[in-house]
Amino acid sequence: MPLRARGAVLAASLLLFAAAPRASAATAPSPEPPPVPERGVVRQEYPVPSTLPPSNGSRTRRPHRVPPPLEEVVVFEDSLEGRPLDDEGGWTHRDASGEPTAWHIDSLLTCSQGNVWWCGRVDSSWVYDSNRAGYGNSWTHYLENSVRLDTIPAGTTARIGFRHRLDVEKNYDYVTVEVLDLGYGWLPLADFTGRVPTHSGCDTASVIIPDSIRVQYYADPENPLPVPFRFAFTSDIGYSSADGLYDGDGWYLDNISVTAGPQVRFLDDAEHGPGNWLPTVLPPVGDFFALANNVVTEDICTINRTNVWVDWDPVLQTLVPRLDNLLDTPAVDVERSDRVVVNFDVYRNLPLNGCYYYHLNYRYRNAGDDGWSDWIDPTRLIYYGATKDWARQKVVLPGASGKDSVQVQLGVKDYGPIYCGGTQSSSGISTFFDNIAIGITATTPPILVQRDLDLFQDTFETQAFWNDDNINTPLGDSAVVQVSVPRGYKSGFLHYRLNGGSFQAVPLTVSSPALSTFRYADLPAGNYPSNTKLDYYFAVTDSLDATTTLPAGALDDLDYFSMSVLPLKTPTNPVRSCFDSLASILFVNNFAGREPKPYIAEAMTALGYKFDTWNVKGPSSLIGNTPAGSTPGGIYHWPATQVNTLLQYQAIIWHSGNLSARPIRQEDQAMLQSWIQQPGADRNLWVIGDDVASALQFGDDYNGFLSFTMGGRWIRDLWENFPQDSLHPVVTGFGGSPTAGRYMHVDAGCPLIDDFDLIATSFSAAINGKVGLYLAYPNTFGAATRYATKYSGIGSDSARAVLMGFSFNNIEEGGERIQLMSGTMSDYFGIAPCYDPVAVEHDGPASVAPIPNRLYQNAPNPFNPETSIRYSVATPGQVRIRIFNAAGGLVRTLVDRAETAGPHAVRWDATDDAGRRLGSGVYFYAIETTSGFRAARKLVLLK
């Protein structure tokens, strides 16, 4: 499952792979879910008094500079030296890979009466689950069987039918019904997520087995084969019964049948035992953590022959499939200090596509406590790195402040079943740990922390709402900041200015005694008119007169938080026929706060466009603080923008980056549909995001928004065939479109996060207007589409839409971002810039990366019964790929033909040239071309 919204982060010299943000401890979910907090963030309630503190009207006094951070005191350090390898110095480690079989027959949950097949279990430790019955994190469990379909008359439809009930976290955990395609592996026929049905009881479902699958199994009439099918359950790394963040029962099935017309070929009502079903069985793979020395690495700069922690098979010296090992430090006294950090050395030979990553947790305890806290993930990140070097990593343990003792845990896990479609090859993959130290800091300057949801939100509303003004956050009337002041609180202010004027200061007020670290402030009451621009920052001073600001660069870099009451007015420019002070473009950034910089705004500024920006605070929260507002009746209700207010705009750009949770809500789809259909002017809509089309395809679509409004059609959630390993594909402009001749590299360096949608034009749009591709992936399939419902020329009240299946931010060349913006806004939408361009790069296309000569690792590996070998050749010519046994003997020639330049693939079914099945063992495959390219790799056949 794609991993949702999230991304890769570069910190220090270590590349952090960010999984879905998670709550750091098992916290009881709110009994009333709306509004949905940003996923992984436990929502706090901030009481706001009816009477707000008035502004003191004073000018801002420049605070004292923050002194340098105080020195850390190391309270635990273990270099692992000076002791034999069997003396682990109080460290403990264990294997966490074993799991109970999830699919089983049970009568606890039922569709009517009797037994069902249930993917779930009862666990008494799941104290936040209402019935202790549910499912865990990181589950991938299958229930497999097969059925004979070889004697079905031509034209007869085969179906898999079942009754079921599903209760899982929507859009993150999901289930599928699959059949085995002999050429391409398991083929999903249907998928479900969330609650099915939404009412009580079970739902009846059926899926058709394609004829193209059935015929594969009776191609040899003398030896027909049964067709394998299975039910697959997949959960991601958090929000389940196991961590108490989602109270769901999992998936249960009853009355499973396979029919061919009126004939019943298979029937199981779960009342007669397991039969021939094959549920996933996950026994423990073993604890491989151990001390070792003289470990050879590929780091030519650092040679570490001393003791280190390794976690590999000691014979093969590589990680083990399904590995999930945990390593705990001894308990460490941290003396109730203000700040606790852990530092350690790590050797990283963990390529992203290898799908073996490491992570870090900690737990704490105070004297007198009954036991330790739950394990807490301080960063909510998992880590990888293929640099094959030693690096020093530092992680702050925020919840350990003020505690007596902590323990730190390092873990190494095979995340392939979660993120990569199954375990990948572990050959040559490893990671080591050394020099672990825990440090404390006795006192620090003020520390300020804020969430996007607690900052003021852009709006078109000019009348007071929430309380007594129209400048509000998505959660209430006041901006909120969390303040930690170890040396004593002296003063704190919200400093603000309107429309570039002088800064004023409003004191920060404690929210409540129970939330003493949370402080709020608000602007004076009033109805702030449109064309109001607010800049603001927080500043807190401690008893030693040290001041910390948020943002940190508020004083030196003039870096402020901001919001606007839209629309804004900006200077006209008659020289360029720009006579209107209002902007012609609205940019809705539904990915605000998750990008290194707003590249869309940067490109429009460089081209001289006049535009308004609506930055959605906490875009994954689904509170509804977007232009269309939220649905009335919830705890929090953001007012909707009236369509008439938007009529000044010729174009609306909606950007969702790689956000996957409701990248464009149905309320916003309805608003945009109404806006683009209004008469009286050209209207142009550009929707961008690598999960927009897939979200619309699977339940989020309103009134045909994808097909009728955008003219698009979703094909699949991954632009290239699995496995996704084109990390920098070249996207090209489509001939005959305004992008023709453009070449741009697109960064897909975080697979399953940057899972670009493969899209096409919709059939219905072709009837109503002019449709076509706009951008294409290297496989020539659609990366973006264009749609014009009236196309007799600009100025004829046209309505045009562009749908892009990847994030604008992923375009690597700044010049290509600008050129794409120019081609779309000027050439296709017909909108002229208002100001002179300031940073347009050359018009020439970016150079296209040359096609490499490359032999890729086969997948899967190890394999049974077959595997795929991918390769690419730089020039056309004769290509030969052969398989050899461990003794060097030739067993199979897979390819011996002329190939065009580019990528190719071939499958091997573990047979020799005579068609005989080969035995388990190590084999080698080699490629040679007439151009002189030669390479070889190892593969493993297991039976």
Side-chain angles (χ1 to χ4, degrees), residues 365-373:
R365 181 174 63 185
N366 278 332
D369 290 350
D370 292 335
W372 289 93
S373 70

Side-chain angles (χ1 to χ4, degrees), residues 133-155:
Y135 64 98
N137 296 322
S138 305
W139 274 18
T140 302
H141 287 273
Y142 304 104
L143 181 66
E144 182 179 341
N145 215 317
S146 61
V147 61
R148 289 284 295 271
L149 296 174
D150 51 295
T151 58
I152 297 176

Side-chain angles (χ1 to χ4, degrees), residues 38 46 449-459 465-466 470-482 494 508 519 521-523 534 536-538 550-551 560-564 592-593 615-618 623 625 638:
E38 287 199 80
Y46 307 118
V449 179
Q450 117 290 326
R451 296 184 308 167
D452 287 352
L453 289 172
D454 297 319
L455 300 177
F456 294 123
Q457 171 68 61
D458 298 312
T459 183
F465 61 100
W466 287 129
N470 57 318
I471 294 181
N472 299 311
T473 77
L475 299 182
D477 189 53
S478 306
V480 180
V481 64
Q482 187 175 11
L494 169 73
L508 294 174
R519 294 176 178 262
D522 192 24
L523 270 63
L534 169 69
Y536 64 102
Y537 66 95
F538 301 95
L550 187 70
Y560 311 120
F561 297 122
S562 64
M563 68 81 59
S564 301
N615 287 314
V616 180
K617 306 297 185 185
I623 287 176
N625 51 309
W638 193 261

Side-chain angles (χ1 to χ4, degrees), residues 923-937:
Y923 295 85
F924 297 88
Y925 59 101
I927 185 174
E928 52 185 329
T929 70
T930 53
S931 65
F933 170 56
R934 289 178 174 83
R937 284 182 177 268

Side-chain angles (χ1 to χ4, degrees), residues 284-364:
V285 300
D287 174 14
F288 292 92
F289 265 120
L291 288 174
N293 54 28
N294 293 312
V295 175
V296 178
T297 70
E298 297 181 56
D299 188 341
I300 61 175
C301 300
T302 303
I303 299 177
N304 186 350
R305 301 295 190 188
T306 62
N307 291 355
V308 298
W309 282 110
V310 300
D311 191 28
W312 59 10
D313 183 307
V315 177
L316 300 178
Q317 294 194 339
T318 188
L319 299 183
V320 176
R322 289 193 48 245
L323 180 78
D324 187 3
N325 286 175
L326 302 171
L327 174 68
D328 303 342
T329 69
V332 177
D333 184 4
V334 292
E335 304 171 4
R336 301 205 173 196
S337 56
D338 296 312
R339 187 169 183 262
V340 182
V341 299
V342 59
N343 299 271
F344 56 95
D345 293 338
V346 56
Y347 176 76
R348 302 159 302 163
N349 181 13
L350 300 173
L352 176 63
N353 290 339
C355 300
Y356 289 83
Y357 312 131
Y358 69 95
H359 56 88
L360 183 142
N361 298 314
Y362 74 98
R363 63 181 182 177
Y364 59 79

Side-chain angles (χ1 to χ4, degrees), residues 807-826:
S807 171
F808 189 91
N809 298 342
N810 288 78
I811 301 173
E812 298 184 28
E813 298 90 356
E816 288 302 317
R817 289 194 294 268
I818 291 173
Q819 292 293 341
L820 178 60
M821 179 63 66
S822 176
T824 303
M825 303 306 292
S826 295

Side-chain angles (χ1 to χ4, degrees), residues 655-676:
H655 183 234
S656 291
N658 58 27
L659 190 71
S660 60
R662 302 282 177 84
I664 180 167
R665 299 165 52 251
Q666 291 192 356
E667 293 86 348
D668 291 291
Q669 295 173 48
M671 177 196 72
L672 293 172
Q673 277 185 338
S674 177
W675 167 80
I676 202 171

